[in-house]
Amino acid sequence: MSIQWFPGHMHKAQKEIAEAIPQIDVIIEVLDARIPFSSENPMISELRGEKPVIKVLNKRDLADPEMTQLWIEHLEKEQNVKAMAITTSQPQEVQKILELCRKMAPNREEVGKNIRTMIMGIPNVGKSTIINSLAGRTIAITGNQPAVTRRQQRINLQNGVVLSDTPGILWPKVENPHSGFRLAATGAVKDTAMEYDEVAFYTVEYLAQAYPDRLKERYQIEELPESDVELMEEIGRRRGALRSGGRVDLHKASEILLHELRSGTLGQITLERPEMITEELVQVEIDTARKLEEKIKKKEERRKRYLRNKR
C-alpha cells in the first residue's frame, strides 16, 4: 500500500522546521507505541543532525508491553537518542519528558537559560494532548482526526523549558508498503485515503500470526480460518455484519475490526517488531533497485525505437 500525502501546509512545515532546528537544544519526537518504526518520520533524522532526540512512545496502554520494551532498546542504539513509553491518561508520565530534556541539555540549565525544545510527530499520534499536559492548560487543539495542528507556535512552559510545536507532518511517500498499511490501521491517515477492506485484510492476517488467541477470544472462534478473507467473513458472521440473504458485509466487518484495534478492545497489540523491519527494508531496497533497472531498460528501449524510426 503506497501512501502519498504531502499537502501544502506540510511542505511549508518541513521548511520551517529545517530553519528552526539550529536554535533547538532537544528534539522530542512523538511516536505511536503500536508502530514505532512506521510512525517515525525519516525527514526528522535528516533534519536533526546530531541534536539529542527523545523518542516518546505514546499510547503505550494500547501496545504490547514486551514489544514496547524491545523497541525502546532498539531505538536507543542510535546515538544521542533516549526513548520512553507513556500514556497521556497518566499526566505524571508525560511530565517525565521534561526531566529527560534537562538530562539531555544540562549546559543550558547550568547557565540559567531556557532549554529550547521542539516537539514533532506524524498526525494523530497524540502530540497536542502531550503539549496541553506539559503546559497544564489547553494550548494545542486536539482531535482524533489527522492533521489538526496547522502552524508552528512557541510555548513557554514556565519551568525552564520552551517548547516549539510543529504541525503533524507526514513524509512525501511511504516507501515501505507495510508501513502504509500500519499507518492506516492505527488511524494515522484519514480513512478516506485508504481502502478499508484492504487494510483490514492486511491487519487480520498479521493478528492471526502474532495474536491468534486475541482473535479467538474476542470473536469466539475456535479455529482461525487459513485465509484473511475467510477470517474476515467469520468475524463478520460472529458480529452480525450481514447483508440480505445472509452474505457477510466485508466493509462493515472491516470497520468493526479496525475500530476494535484502535480502541484497544482487542487488547494491547503492537503491529511491528524490530526484526520484521530489518527484513522489510531489505525487500524495499531490492524492489527499488528492480524498479530503477526497469526504468533504465524502458528508457533504453525508447531510445532504440527513436533511432530506428529516424533512419
Side-chain angles (χ1 to χ4, degrees):
M1 180 176 183
S2 176
I3 291 178
Q4 295 187 55
W5 185 35
F6 211 49
H9 76 272
M10 289 195 180
H11 183 77
K12 185 170 173 261
Q14 184 195 346
K15 193 178 168 211
E16 285 174 4
I17 289 164
E19 287 167 1
I21 274 183
Q23 283 78 50
I24 298 298
D25 302 308
V26 180
I27 292 165
I28 302 162
E29 184 180 11
V30 185
L31 308 176
D32 186 323
R34 298 167 296 176
I35 50 167
F37 172 80
S38 296
S39 58
E40 262 191 324
N41 191 330
M43 288 196 302
I44 291 173
S45 295
E46 293 165 27
L47 295 170
R48 81 172 176 98
E50 293 181 7
K51 296 274 179 194
V53 176
I54 299 169
K55 304 266 187 184
V56 178
L57 279 67
N58 191 23
K59 307 186 183 183
R60 68 151 183 80
D61 51 324
L62 298 175
D64 183 329
E66 283 181 35
M67 285 295 124
T68 299
Q69 191 50 45
L70 278 180
W71 273 108
I72 287 172
E73 290 163 15
H74 177 78
L75 292 166
E76 288 189 344
K77 287 175 185 172
E78 200 179 337
Q79 196 175 5
N80 275 349
V81 171
K82 284 286 175 192
M84 61 188 294
I86 68 161
T87 169
T88 50
S89 63
Q90 301 287 332
Q92 68 274 22
E93 290 186 10
V94 180
Q95 292 303 317
K96 287 179 182 174
I97 296 170
L98 299 181
E99 291 172 30
L100 203 44
C101 285
R102 293 188 181 98
K103 283 180 186 170
M104 296 188 84
N107 301 344
R108 296 288 294 180
E109 218 169 19
E110 282 167 18
V111 296
K113 291 188 175 179
N114 284 331
I115 298 167
R116 301 162 300 181
T117 67
M118 178 179 277
I119 189 162
M120 302 181 189
I122 65 165
N124 211 26
V125 80
K127 182 168 64 75
S128 296
T129 307
I130 289 170
I131 291 166
N132 292 338
S133 185
L134 290 174
R137 60 196 191 279
T138 303
I139 288 173
I141 305 162
T142 60
N144 60 3
Q145 286 299 311
V148 170
T149 313
R150 278 287 189 271
R151 57 191 174 77
Q152 220 175 119
Q153 54 180 339
R154 290 186 77 215
I155 305 143
N156 190 337
L157 299 178
Q158 307 295 338
N159 52 12
V161 178
V162 174
L163 188 68
S164 289
D165 180 22
T166 57
I169 52 172
L170 280 173
W171 43 106
K173 187 179 179 185
V174 178
E175 296 295 343
N176 183 351
H178 295 281
S179 288
F181 280 111
R182 291 175 198 136
L183 285 161
T186 54
V189 292
K190 288 181 179 176
D191 290 342
T192 50
M194 63 177 187
E195 287 294 330
Y196 238 93
D197 303 11
E198 203 182 330
V199 176
F201 291 155
Y202 175 91
T203 306
V204 86
E205 187 178 13
Y206 171 80
L207 294 175
Q209 291 168 358
Y211 300 97
D213 292 341
R214 301 277 173 84
L215 291 176
K216 287 177 182 177
E217 186 186 342
R218 177 66 190 159
Y219 302 112
Q220 299 294 296
I221 303 170
E222 281 186 26
E223 281 303 314
L224 299 181
E226 291 281 318
S227 78
D228 51 4
V229 178
E230 285 173 326
L231 181 47
M232 283 307 302
E233 284 180 338
E234 189 59 33
I235 288 169
R237 272 191 289 272
R238 298 281 172 170
R239 294 304 303 275
L242 302 171
R243 294 180 185 273
S244 56
R247 285 187 306 117
V248 174
D249 183 338
L250 280 173
H251 184 80
K252 184 68 182 166
S254 300
E255 282 183 336
I256 289 166
L257 178 85
L258 294 178
H259 174 73
E260 295 194 344
L261 171 76
R262 292 173 187 176
S263 65
T265 308
L266 278 175
Q268 292 178 290
I269 284 169
T270 297
L271 294 176
E272 56 193 16
R273 302 184 303 277
E275 69 274 14
M276 277 169 54
I277 300 303
T278 308
E279 292 168 18
E280 288 169 11
L281 292 181
V282 168
Q283 191 57 50
V284 166
E285 278 186 33
I286 293 167
D287 292 345
T288 303
R290 180 179 49 78
K291 283 173 190 171
L292 184 63
E293 202 176 305
E294 286 172 5
K295 198 174 178 182
I296 293 166
K297 196 175 170 184
K298 282 178 184 174
K299 197 174 179 183
E300 184 60 24
E301 284 170 3
R302 280 200 303 271
R303 193 183 70 84
K304 284 178 181 174
R305 273 203 309 272
Y306 172 76
L307 291 173
R308 278 199 302 271
N309 293 337
K310 215 177 166 191
R311 284 174 192 159

